Amino acid sequence: MLAPAPRFALQGPGVLASFRRFFDSPRALVLAAIAALAFAAVSLFLARREDRIAIRLAAGDARGRRAEIAEALADEARNHGLDVTIVPSEGSEDSREMVERREVDVALVQGGLDGNDDVREVAPLVLEVLHLLVRGDSNVWALEDLRGQRVMLAPPGSGTRRLSLALTELAGLHPGHDYTEVAMTYADLDEASASELPDAIFHISTLPSPNARRLLIGRGYRLVPLPFGEAMSLRDVAVTAGAIPAYAYDAAPATPREDVPTLATRMIAIASRSTRAEAVRRLLEALESERFLRRANLPRPDPALFLQPEFPLHPGTIGWMHRDDPLFTSDDVQGIESLRSFIVSLIVAFVLLYRWWRTRRLHGLDTYLADAARIDRDAMLVEDAASLDLPRMLSLRSELGRVKTSALAAFSRGEIHSEELLSSFLVHCADVRQHLDRMILSERERMQKVARGRGEAEADVMRTLWAEALQEEHDDKEVVVRAPKPAEKS
């Protein structure tokens, strides 16, 4: 008795048939269309979904103007897929060092700083001016009057301190010798009593500065002019002449009463070279946003400032600067045109070469025609000689036969497709053959006359003369030629 077949063997054909019937039904088409639409929708959603990028940003003292700008920038950056964490720092120098150590990704710093090869510039933002604030009851009216005073330069690690030291050294003033340096923060100034306040304070900020306003309006300080912008720019190209306009901080009473000349540097955004280019691009979009500019109270940056960076530009900035460039520039178009001309010339040359090769392959009679013409020319030279060269004529006739045979073989192999050219070639070969035959016949008749003149048996004489005439042909080319029979007597 045969063993029962396995269960899957019995069910296999039924399952296959069910699948076949399902895929042949309209329901399968509907399900396939729904699956395709779902796949397209998911792909579109994933493509449009913008992954968020987190960066760390340093902006100096939390009570300074840069910190205010950083807060406005962080809020706007969220709308561009960028999550910004503000990291406190002592000042521009400290922020720049944090970028070098890659402790932060981006920093808002004062211009004119030094940096290593890891620092890249993202964007210039706005000019920052240097404030020299002095107590209202002091006798300080110019920079040189700081001798013997208590001066707050700025906390260590700040760009303000660096520029303030350079300015006081220009006036021949040195800390600890010509004036006393006071180490205080802006928070300390708010809590200090009137007697504890320093006689003079150096402060760099955009206008209007909240710290300068508190000192001018709340603590009775006033501004001292610093007309050294041109002189300082000779020593530091990042420094330029600036001014604090009249009424910048108050109108009644006027604070200041007139424009105050001073020094200015640019606030710039810098980043580590390792910061993602996409993060920099989104940050620049936020910096360009009208909402950010209004909230931060900043003018729109001059695009020309991007052409004068203090550090090498970040790759993300370079890409952002060229975002509106056309896909093809004039140089690209010229290059494409040159390439097009080259390709056209190459195609024309290829077509001509192909036509020549095709013509040569299809016709294939060039070599054979040339050989037939050469044989014809040699035959005429033999005819024009003083005596007919019988071996040469026989050799030419044999060579002509070989050329004709080779041409017919090429035609049979399909290398020659022009029947008209082949027919003309054969006619030409026949004409040359007839020419050679006539000359050979003429030479034979001459030999017959010689034989009859000797009075010997004509056949023997003919055979002897023919052998003598063909001796060279037998020796050189080993051609066996039968002597013609003597012509019958009439």
Side-chain angles (χ1 to χ4, degrees):
M1 182 176 181
L2 297 176
R7 181 178 180 86
F8 67 86
L10 296 175
Q11 294 181 351
V15 173
L16 293 177
S18 300
F19 273 109
R20 189 178 297 109
R21 286 194 302 272
F22 173 76
F23 285 111
D24 290 340
S25 66
R27 182 182 301 175
L29 181 61
V30 173
L31 291 177
I34 293 174
L37 290 175
F39 178 78
V42 171
S43 300
L44 180 62
F45 172 76
L46 293 176
R48 293 181 60 88
R49 189 181 64 177
E50 189 176 45
D51 61 319
R52 303 194 66 81
I53 302 175
I55 64 170
R56 297 156 298 172
L57 184 146
D61 191 288
R63 299 170 62 88
R65 179 80 170 99
R66 290 193 205 110
E68 290 184 355
I69 296 174
E71 290 289 348
L73 180 60
D75 288 343
E76 178 59 29
R78 295 190 186 95
N79 300 325
H80 300 271
L82 205 60
D83 297 325
V84 179
T85 301
I86 299 177
V87 179
S89 67
E90 297 297 330
S92 294
E93 288 279 1
D94 187 32
S95 298
R96 188 259 305 165
E97 292 175 357
M98 294 173 71
V99 170
E100 292 178 351
R101 295 191 300 266
R102 301 189 181 183
E103 296 176 0
V104 296
D105 303 293
V106 182
L108 303 182
V109 299
Q110 171 189 323
L113 304 180
D114 298 325
N116 64 13
D117 190 56
D118 199 49
V119 178
R120 294 291 183 267
E121 183 168 332
V122 174
L125 299 182
V126 67
L127 284 177
E128 295 181 308
V129 297
L130 177 62
H131 299 67
L132 176 53
L133 302 132
V134 299
R135 293 167 60 109
D137 56 357
S138 70
N139 292 323
V140 178
W141 302 96
L143 182 63
E144 56 270 21
D145 296 337
L146 293 180
R147 191 179 303 274
Q149 305 294 321
R150 297 169 59 249
V151 181
M152 173 182 164
L153 295 176
S158 66
T160 303
R161 177 182 176 81
R162 179 176 178 273
L163 182 59
S164 302
L165 286 172
L167 182 61
T168 55
E169 288 177 0
L170 178 66
L173 302 175
H174 302 280
H177 181 269
D178 300 301
Y179 61 88
T180 302
E181 182 178 359
V182 177
M184 299 181 68
T185 65
Y186 294 111
D188 295 336
L189 293 177
D190 290 341
E191 298 175 359
S193 62
S195 60
E196 295 173 336
L197 292 174
D199 298 315
I201 299 172
F202 284 98
H203 172 61
I204 288 182
S205 175
T206 59
L207 294 173
S209 165
N211 288 322
R213 182 179 179 83
R214 285 194 295 270
L215 292 169
L216 290 169
I217 305 303
R219 307 307 296 263
Y221 277 74
R222 53 183 171 82
L223 291 167
V224 173
L226 297 171
F228 306 102
E230 297 294 337
M232 288 297 296
S233 65
L234 299 177
R235 295 163 173 78
D236 188 347
V237 294
V239 178
T240 184
I244 302 173
Y247 308 103
Y249 289 101
D250 207 349
T255 308
R257 293 183 176 273
E258 56 187 15
D259 293 353
V260 177
T262 185
L263 284 63
T265 60
R266 283 187 293 175
M267 181 197 300
I268 59 175
I270 61 173
S272 170
R273 183 173 55 179
S274 62
T275 302
R276 288 178 55 182
E278 177 62 19
V280 171
R281 183 189 67 79
R282 297 183 187 183
L283 187 69
L284 287 166
E285 289 178 352
L287 289 171
E288 194 184 43
S289 167
E290 194 66 35
R291 290 189 300 268
F292 162 73
L293 295 175
R294 284 198 305 267
R295 177 173 175 181
N297 193 24
L298 293 177
R300 186 171 296 277
D302 184 359
L305 295 178
F306 284 90
L307 304 178
Q308 302 171 349
E310 298 186 22
F311 296 97
L313 290 176
H314 194 281
T317 301
I318 296 175
W320 181 81
M321 290 172 61
H322 295 282
R323 66 193 184 283
D324 296 328
D325 289 353
L327 183 61
F328 296 105
T329 63
S330 58
D331 292 338
D332 295 333
V333 173
Q334 185 176 0
I336 293 173
E337 180 63 22
S338 300
L339 180 62
R340 183 193 66 82
S341 302
F342 172 75
I343 292 176
V344 170
S345 302
L346 189 64
I347 291 175
V348 170
F350 176 77
V351 170
L352 294 177
L353 181 63
Y354 175 77
R355 290 182 62 184
W356 172 82
W357 174 83
R358 183 68 176 171
T359 301
R360 185 176 180 85
R361 190 176 188 279
L362 291 179
H363 296 166
L365 287 172
D366 299 352
T367 303
Y368 305 115
L369 286 172
D371 291 340
R374 177 181 54 77
I375 294 171
D376 190 17
R377 185 170 57 254
D378 292 346
M380 288 187 292
L381 292 176
V382 172
E383 185 179 18
D384 294 339
S387 61
L388 294 177
D389 188 351
L390 182 58
R392 180 61 176 161
M393 290 186 294
L394 292 174
S395 175
L396 291 175
R397 189 171 66 175
S398 300
E399 188 176 357
L400 180 65
R402 289 193 296 270
V403 171
K404 177 181 176 182
T405 302
S406 299
L408 292 174
F411 178 78
S412 66
R413 292 193 301 268
E415 297 177 1
I416 300 174
H417 289 248
S418 177
E419 296 183 1
E420 295 181 0
L421 288 179
L422 180 63
S423 177
S424 300
F425 169 74
L426 295 177
V427 170
H428 181 61
C429 289
D431 291 341
V432 176
R433 175 64 180 263
Q434 290 177 3
H435 185 201
L436 290 170
D437 287 343
R438 284 195 300 268
M439 289 192 295
I440 293 172
L441 180 61
S442 175
E443 181 64 12
R444 192 179 75 171
E445 289 176 352
R446 185 188 67 79
M447 288 181 179
Q448 288 176 345
K449 290 179 181 180
V450 172
R452 285 193 296 268
R454 291 181 180 180
E456 300 176 1
E458 184 177 347
D460 295 337
V461 174
M462 283 290 297
R463 188 177 295 107
T464 300
L465 293 175
W466 194 269
E468 291 175 355
L470 298 182
Q471 185 63 41
E472 182 180 354
E473 182 72 14
H474 284 296
D475 294 340
D476 296 340
K477 300 185 179 179
E478 299 183 355
V479 177
V480 178
V481 182
R482 293 180 179 275
K485 294 179 181 182
E488 294 180 359
K489 296 182 179 179
S490 56

